[in-house]
Amino acid sequence: MPEMPGNQLATHVRAVRPGVAVLYMPGYARTILDSQDALEPGAEFLERPFAQTTLLRRVRQALDTAGEPAAPRSAGR
């Protein structure tokens, strides 16, 4: 994003709307983001490329769990 990183935007949005669903779709591999602590623990992350059905399933999952405490990250997500 040109104005600010996605995690910073998510922080600003959650300050206004606590519990809002956030699904990250960065252009970087998760291993790079993890090594830089760019995402909060338990962040919903969708690595590219992905199928339309995967996107729909993950959006539904993020909406269904919005506002719940973050789950620990798993390598298979």
Side-chain angles (χ1 to χ4, degrees):
M1 294 178 48
E3 300 297 321
M4 69 179 71
N7 59 342
Q8 190 176 3
L9 175 62
T11 299
H12 285 285
V13 171
R14 286 183 173 150
V16 177
R17 297 278 314 242
V20 71
V22 176
L23 178 61
Y24 293 94
M25 293 180 277
Y28 299 99
R30 177 166 215 140
T31 54
I32 293 170
L33 296 171
D34 285 345
S35 70
Q36 297 175 356
D37 291 327
L39 300 176
E40 71 269 9
E44 292 292 328
F45 181 90
L46 183 58
E47 199 161 0
R48 299 175 196 180
F50 49 83
Q52 180 180 5
T53 55
T54 301
L55 173 62
L56 294 172
R57 179 176 44 83
R58 293 299 304 278
V59 167
R60 177 77 270 158
Q61 185 179 43
L63 291 172
D64 288 346
T65 60
E68 293 180 5
R73 291 186 197 172
S74 65
R77 288 192 108 176

